[in-house]
Amino acid sequence: MTDAPLIDPFARPITYLRVSVTDRCDFRCTYCMAEHMQFLPKKELLSLEELDRLCSAFVGLGVQKLRITGGEPLVRRDIMTFFQRMSRHLDSGALRELTLTTNGSQLARFAPDLAALGMKRVNVSLDTLVPEKFAEITRWGRLDQVLEGIAAAKRAGLRVKINAVALKGFNEDELFSLIDWCGGEGHDLTFIEVMPMGDMGEELRLDQYWPLSELRARLAERFTLTETDETTGGPARYFRLEETGQRIGFITPLTHNFCESCNRVRVTCTGELFMCLGQEDNADLRAPLRAHPSDDSALIAAIRGAISRKPKGHDFDYSRQGVAGQMSRHMSHTGG
Ligand code: SAM
Ligand code: SF4
């Protein structure tokens, strides 16, 4: 570490950085993107060199876990060059974990290289195991391609965690089949509550909202659930299914406020640092990166300044009339 670590005003050490490397994607999941998205011009995006400087600055300030996301990170051109560069921080021991959130479409191609450079785990988003439903929810995706990608990751020795967005009337009926499949394949499984992001329309979003408290009650009809105090450094809470020994995660930004232990910040593909997923306040890191191509002191000062205003928590709330605290940003912009 080159400097004092990052500690926010609520005494939370910031050790986890999520970086979106592109706003583009080869899918168009209905809860995430509109079908016809306007993507950013290339010059707006951080270059791979700028991403390297930015992530390396955070590692120098004590970030130990780096998650790459998007959009779909594996559709960014030459992204493996970036992963290769980041692996030097794994080799040096400064970074404990380099990981990825992906839709899995390109994993068959990249999983062996990712494993070879030191990645241990990947999160793959998968909401359904029914091909027609997969095509419906992702608009452009094919289930068999993703399943192949997941199998390739497993073969390469990567641990796979499946992330499924819980959607009322969509995958409610697949709760047990998803659990059985993950159990059989040896994958962890985490359910995510749908969040009010983007401009998908309030009515639709409230319609899709399946609180994980309900999902858990459904699970308890078949399994004995024991809450564990495990944490993987993320916001998920974990339960063990006593009958199978499986660990199931729940990410419930709406029904359970996990802000007290928040150790993370996010950077968008244009270099905006968001201190909280649910608040608009952000800091522009692209300007200091570009203004000082060979000196990171302005960048580091901007990061420190931003962390000193990290808010206590978010304001999402479905419990009132409409969707309160709704964000206008798309998840693909901030990076889920
Ligand atoms: N394309 C990659 C993927 O799908 O895994 C990475 C980016 S995606 C934005 C990250 C995660 O955010 C995915 O698991 C996706 O299901 C989730 N996500 C997207 N929109 C969401 C929303 N409105 N509410 C909750 N989760 C959402
Ligand atoms: Fe693409 Fe991931 Fe958003 Fe789906 S959730 S549209 S795969 S970025």
Side-chain angles (χ1 to χ4, degrees):
M1 213 182 296
T2 55
D3 223 333
L6 295 170
I7 312 272
D8 83 356
F10 303 95
R12 298 171 296 193
I14 306 306
T15 55
Y16 182 0
L17 175 67
R18 299 169 74 106
V19 179
S20 170
V21 294
T22 179
D23 59 337
R24 286 164 201 260
C25 187
D26 50 347
F27 291 1
R28 290 290 181 278
C29 302
T30 54
Y31 49 75
C32 179
M33 290 193 187
E35 183 153 19
H36 302 287
M37 291 286 289
Q38 268 280 328
F39 292 114
L40 295 162
K42 189 167 173 237
K43 64 177 189 330
E44 301 261 328
L45 299 192
L46 296 186
S47 66
L48 295 180
E49 291 71 22
E50 288 165 342
L51 282 167
D52 182 350
R53 284 179 60 203
L54 183 143
C55 294
S56 300
F58 272 99
V59 171
L61 293 168
V63 159
Q64 296 173 353
K65 177 168 173 177
L66 178 61
R67 176 176 296 281
I68 303 305
T69 179
E72 174 47 42
L74 296 181
V75 302
R76 169 122 192 209
R77 186 182 308 199
D78 289 335
I79 193 64
M80 289 309 290
T81 313
F82 169 75
F83 279 114
Q84 200 64 55
R85 286 189 197 158
M86 285 302 102
S87 71
R88 72 181 186 275
H89 299 305
L90 288 175
D91 297 341
S92 77
L95 199 57
R96 271 209 238 139
E97 184 166 22
L98 173 62
T99 185
L100 172 72
T101 299
T102 175
N103 65 21
S105 70
Q106 311 299 314
L107 265 183
R109 192 150 54 110
F110 293 125
D113 290 347
L114 290 168
L117 59 79
M119 194 173 285
K120 301 274 185 262
R121 303 192 293 163
V122 286
N123 287 4
V124 184
S125 305
L126 178 66
D127 306 325
T128 171
L129 290 166
V130 179
E132 296 74 28
K133 284 165 75 178
F134 188 85
E136 179 194 330
I137 199 80
T138 62
R139 291 200 188 97
W140 297 359
R142 275 194 304 113
L143 179 65
D144 56 352
Q145 187 183 359
V146 169
L147 294 181
E148 263 169 48
I150 294 172
K154 186 175 160 181
R155 275 197 305 276
L158 294 167
R159 262 202 85 73
V160 175
K161 189 179 83 177
I162 301 295
N163 281 336
V165 177
L167 295 163
K168 203 177 195 78
F170 179 76
N171 55 9
E172 280 178 280
D173 58 339
E174 288 189 71
L175 179 58
F176 295 111
S177 48
L178 277 166
I179 288 177
D180 290 346
W181 181 76
C182 286
E185 293 291 319
H187 305 319
D188 284 329
L189 173 62
T190 288
F191 290 102
I192 309 177
E193 225 163 46
V194 73
M195 283 184 268
M197 306 294 287
D199 55 3
M200 248 63 62
E202 194 161 300
E203 220 172 296
L204 176 69
R205 191 50 52 82
L206 283 169
D207 233 40
Q208 292 181 322
Y209 178 48
W210 182 18
L212 294 192
S213 47
E214 276 180 27
L215 186 154
R216 212 163 62 220
R218 185 88 57 87
L219 266 186
E221 290 169 14
R222 193 175 300 181
F223 295 107
T224 316
L225 276 74
T226 310
E227 184 158 8
T228 75
D229 52 13
E230 285 169 79
T231 158
T232 52
R237 285 188 305 152
Y238 293 97
F239 290 82
R240 200 175 42 251
L241 306 183
E242 293 301 339
E243 288 78 0
T244 67
Q246 270 171 281
R247 192 179 73 162
I248 308 290
F250 292 87
I251 298 183
T252 55
L254 303 159
T255 52
H256 179 260
N257 203 307
F258 52 70
C259 303
E260 324 75 66
S261 58
C262 182
N263 60 351
R264 66 187 50 207
V265 290
R266 295 172 160 79
V267 175
T268 67
C269 55
T270 56
E272 297 158 300
L273 169 61
F274 280 90
M275 289 73 86
C276 172
L277 180 63
Q279 303 280 355
E280 295 286 0
D281 187 23
N282 67 84
D284 176 13
L285 301 182
R286 189 179 59 188
L289 271 167
R290 291 193 177 168
H292 308 278
S294 55
D295 173 12
D296 288 344
S297 45
L299 169 67
I300 289 170
I303 294 172
R304 287 198 181 283
I307 298 301
S308 74
R309 3 182 258 275
K310 182 167 160 67
K312 196 165 179 201
H314 65 66
D315 298 323
F316 290 146
D317 186 2
Y318 280 111
S319 62
R320 290 175 232 146
Q321 278 293 306
V323 182
Q326 174 145 1
M327 302 296 301
S328 57
R329 304 194 300 276
H330 280 269
M331 198 73 158
S332 53
H333 183 68
T334 327

